[in-house]
Amino acid sequence: MDATMIWAFWGVSILFILTPGADWAYAISGGLRQRVLPSVSGLWMGHVVAIAVVVAGVGALLERFPSITLALTLFGAAYLVWLGLGVLRSSGTVGEATDVPVGSSGRWFAKGIGVASLNPKLVLLLTAVLPQFTRHDDAWPVQGQIAVLGAFHLLGCAVVYLAVGAGSRRVLGARPGAARVVTRISGAAMIGIGLVLLAERVAELIH
C-alpha cells in the first residue's frame, strides 16, 4: 500500500478531527465531569464501529440507498439535540463538588459511541473521502486499505480527544464560572449542529 496515500489521508483525517464539533463538545463535557476516559473511549469506539461498517461493505450499501443514509442522519441529528439539551440542563451543577465524578462511566461510554458513530461528518469522511485514497489495482484488497487508513484515523482521534478532554479538566476545573460557560457553549453547539443537520435534510426532502 502506497505510503503517500496513507499520509495524505492522515492529513485530511487530522483536519477533520481538529475541527471543533460534536465530538469536541462531548469530550469537553466529559472532562469537566471527571469522565475523560469513559467519554473519549466512547467516542473512539464510535469511530471504530463506523470504520468497521465501511470495511464490511455497508458503506457501499448506504451510497446505493440514500434513504438509509437520510434516516441515519435525521436520527443522529435528533440525538445530538437531545444530548445538547441534557448538557444545558446539567450545566448549572458544573463546578460544584468538582472532585466528584458525575454520571456512571458506562453511561458516558455508551453516549460517546452514539455521538461519534452517528456523526454525519464522520459518515461523509468514511464514505465519500476515504475511498478516494484507495486503489483497486493495489496488492492490498480495498477492505484492507480502508482498515489501515482507518487505523491512522483512530490514532489521531485518541490523541486529540484525550488532549481536549484532559485539557478542559485541567484548564477549567479550577474555574467553575468559566467551566459553566464552556459547558453551556458545548451543549448549545450540539443543539446547533443537530438543528442545522435537521434543517438541511428537511430542505432536501422538500425540494
Side-chain angles (χ1 to χ4, degrees), residues 47-119:
H47 284 256
V48 170
V49 170
I51 291 170
V53 165
V54 174
V55 171
V58 179
L61 181 65
L62 295 179
E63 291 182 356
R64 184 176 179 184
F65 298 100
S67 59
I68 299 178
T69 303
L70 175 61
L72 289 174
T73 302
L74 290 174
F75 181 78
Y79 184 68
L80 284 178
V81 172
W82 178 74
L83 281 180
L85 290 172
V87 170
L88 289 181
R89 284 195 298 267
S90 63
S91 63
T93 62
V94 174
E96 301 176 3
T98 53
D99 292 333
V100 180
V102 179
S104 68
S105 296
R107 186 174 183 181
W108 278 95
F109 179 77
K111 284 185 176 181
I113 294 176
V115 169
S117 61
L118 294 173
N119 188 342

Side-chain angles (χ1 to χ4, degrees), residues 5-170:
M5 300 295 284
I6 295 176
W7 291 115
F9 172 76
W10 186 78
V12 174
S13 169
I14 286 296
L15 289 176
F16 166 87
I17 297 168
L18 290 175
T19 302
D23 287 6
W24 272 56
Y26 191 72
I28 290 172
S29 296
L32 292 176
R33 290 170 174 77
Q34 292 201 22
R35 291 304 187 192
V36 175
L37 286 179
S39 61
V40 173
S41 296
L43 291 173
W44 189 83
M45 185 55 66
H47 284 256
V48 170
V49 170
I51 291 170
V53 165
V54 174
V55 171
V58 179
L61 181 65
L62 295 179
E63 291 182 356
R64 184 176 179 184
F65 298 100
S67 59
I68 299 178
T69 303
L70 175 61
L72 289 174
T73 302
L74 290 174
F75 181 78
Y79 184 68
L80 284 178
V81 172
W82 178 74
L83 281 180
L85 290 172
V87 170
L88 289 181
R89 284 195 298 267
S90 63
S91 63
T93 62
V94 174
E96 301 176 3
T98 53
D99 292 333
V100 180
V102 179
S104 68
S105 296
R107 186 174 183 181
W108 278 95
F109 179 77
K111 284 185 176 181
I113 294 176
V115 169
S117 61
L118 294 173
N119 188 342
K121 283 203 311 178
L122 178 60
V123 174
L124 177 65
L125 175 72
L126 298 180
T127 59
V129 178
L130 186 150
Q132 298 179 34
F133 294 87
T134 62
R135 294 180 176 175
H136 291 279
D137 58 350
D138 194 272
W140 287 52
V142 173
Q143 287 83 355
Q145 296 176 56
I146 292 175
V148 171
L149 296 174
F152 275 80
H153 173 74
L154 292 174
L155 177 61
C157 288
V159 173
V160 173
Y161 295 150
L162 276 174
V164 170
S168 65
R169 177 62 186 167
R170 179 180 295 273

